[in-house]
Amino acid sequence: MAGAQLGGVLTDRFGHLMVQLGSLLGGAVCFHVLSRLDTLPALGVSLFVLGVIDESFRPACNAAITAYTPRVDRPRAFALNRTAVNLGVTFGPAFGGVLADLDFGLLFQVNSVMWVLSALVLFRVARFWSPLSGQDVEPAAPSATGRGGSPWADGFFLVAMGLLFVHALIFALHHMVWLLFLSEVAGLSKTRIGMLFAVNTGIILAFEMLLTERLAKRPALRSVAWGTLLMGLGFGLTGLQPSFGWVAFTVVVWKVGEMFAAPMIVTFVAQRAGPAHRGRYMGVLGIAISGALAVAPVLGAALYDRVHPQAPWVLSALLGIVSAVGFFALERHRCRHLERCAAAPGADE
């Protein structure tokens, strides 16, 4: 959360390229230092610093995609970014396992080298980027421009980010309890659990770009609402029948929901913010998601251990319904606002 806010502020002040380069190079140093620490307090401080530096990259990256991508192509651009991330998540653990078998310290050193190489590549290709101009650059939303452009003064946006926190909580809960449920309640083997992860990633790689192409011209918040509802439904159904086939079906349901929502919520933020405040808006987006990732482990573990192993899935369904209703209501409010703007003499969209 600290890194998202810091990265957003620095992006608006120094530009997305400087923040991305600083994050990559700073992260490389942190990984190198981590490999040499052997006390718990030192590890804790270093991991916090690494988290701040790492998370500062996201607002800057999202601001860069917004700045260099025409408005009509942004949903697909954010989906492509997610595809790249998922490819890394897919192959990274396997590569990390090989390194750990050779020497655990190699995990840190190779990470450090890769981040430096990423910074060099970014620096080399940045000179070919051409900023957008003309109609591809949109102003901030009318409700935001009248309050200095700050996301913290944009009430509509803050309500949307509150609903996003609920949405992200649905997904973050599964990080804590999904594997426990699959192994302890469903009794699935490690091989079958691995196959579920393959289904998870395969759906994204095969269908997300195609789906986003269909959603690109539709209202972003409406897509997020449907995605939230599907995610809540998918996770809510997980506990009804603890078998491999049923769990694989629920993975498909909530993964489709994730593909509906994830690229489109970033698209909404990009459309909401003006060019001078994109970093700050993207930073608040990161705070909402990081906040959910911080709350979910404690909440999920408490429900699983002290209430019932099915409790997290019931909560997921309820959160999905609440968040979806909220996003649908926000979209209706936005449409009414735009109709009033269009009806006002001399007003533009």
Side-chain angles (χ1 to χ4, degrees):
M1 295 173 70
Q5 177 69 7
L6 178 64
V9 172
L10 293 178
T11 296
D12 289 338
R13 182 168 297 182
F14 299 108
H16 54 77
L17 180 59
M18 293 298 296
V19 176
Q20 289 179 94
L21 291 174
S23 175
L24 291 169
L25 295 175
V29 172
C30 286
F31 274 116
H32 179 73
V33 171
L34 269 172
S35 68
R36 299 176 178 273
L37 301 178
D38 57 5
T39 65
L40 187 60
L43 286 169
V45 171
S46 297
L47 286 171
F48 176 80
V49 173
L50 174 61
V52 171
I53 293 174
D54 178 28
E55 194 61 31
S56 67
F57 184 90
R58 295 179 189 271
C61 180
N62 286 334
I65 293 173
T66 305
Y68 293 98
T69 308
R71 185 173 185 176
V72 68
D73 292 328
R74 283 178 192 156
R76 289 185 297 162
F78 289 123
L80 182 61
N81 185 51
R82 274 176 41 82
T83 299
V85 171
N86 277 281
L87 280 171
V89 171
T90 300
F91 294 108
F95 184 43
V98 174
L99 293 175
D101 284 340
L102 297 173
D103 182 349
F104 206 82
L106 284 175
L107 284 171
F108 300 93
Q109 300 305 328
V110 170
N111 261 311
S112 182
V113 171
M114 293 302 293
W115 282 36
V116 171
L117 291 176
S118 297
L120 292 175
V121 170
L122 180 62
F123 180 76
R124 291 276 295 180
V125 302
R127 56 183 173 165
F128 298 110
W129 294 349
S130 299
L132 298 175
S133 59
Q135 61 181 359
D136 284 328
V137 180
E138 77 281 5
S143 57
T145 53
R147 297 172 181 155
S150 169
W152 299 107
D154 185 350
F156 182 91
F157 175 74
L158 292 179
V159 172
M161 292 301 99
L163 292 171
L164 177 63
F165 170 83
V166 178
H167 164 96
L169 196 59
I170 302 170
F171 189 76
L173 278 171
H174 107 277
H175 285 291
M176 183 63 207
V177 298
W178 196 57
L179 289 175
L180 289 175
F181 182 86
L182 295 181
S183 60
E184 295 181 359
V185 179
L188 299 183
S189 66
K190 295 181 178 64
T191 300
R192 291 209 159 188
I193 292 175
M195 291 172 65
L196 291 173
F197 275 101
V199 170
N200 182 352
T201 306
I203 291 173
I204 286 183
L205 298 181
F207 298 109
E208 182 161 20
M209 292 295 293
L210 296 174
L211 180 60
T212 306
E213 176 84 23
R214 300 292 298 272
L215 298 174
K217 296 182 180 179
R218 299 182 180 183
L221 289 181
R222 190 175 301 165
S223 297
V224 175
W226 283 113
T228 300
L229 191 60
L230 286 172
M231 282 183 60
L233 176 64
F235 283 116
L237 293 173
T238 299
L240 291 184
Q241 185 180 341
S243 65
F244 175 78
W246 180 257
V247 174
F249 166 73
T250 64
V251 169
V252 173
V253 174
W254 59 257
K255 207 62 190 179
V256 171
E258 182 189 348
M259 292 189 296
F260 262 82
M264 301 309 292
I265 191 64
V266 191
T267 300
F268 160 75
V269 177
Q271 293 170 349
R272 189 77 187 171
H277 299 91
R278 283 181 183 140
R280 289 180 174 88
Y281 269 76
M282 293 298 178
V284 177
L285 170 71
I287 289 173
I289 296 173
S290 298
L293 291 172
V295 171
V298 178
L299 177 61
L303 290 173
Y304 187 89
D305 283 338
R306 300 181 182 180
V307 181
H308 194 278
Q310 303 282 7
W313 314 129
V314 175
L315 178 63
S316 295
L318 294 175
L319 292 177
I321 294 171
V322 170
S323 184
V325 169
F327 278 121
F328 279 125
L330 276 182
E331 177 58 26
R332 286 195 297 271
H333 173 81
R334 188 189 71 87
C335 290
R336 288 196 298 267
H337 176 74
L338 290 178
E339 289 172 359
R340 288 196 299 269
C341 288
D348 57 26
E349 184 177 336

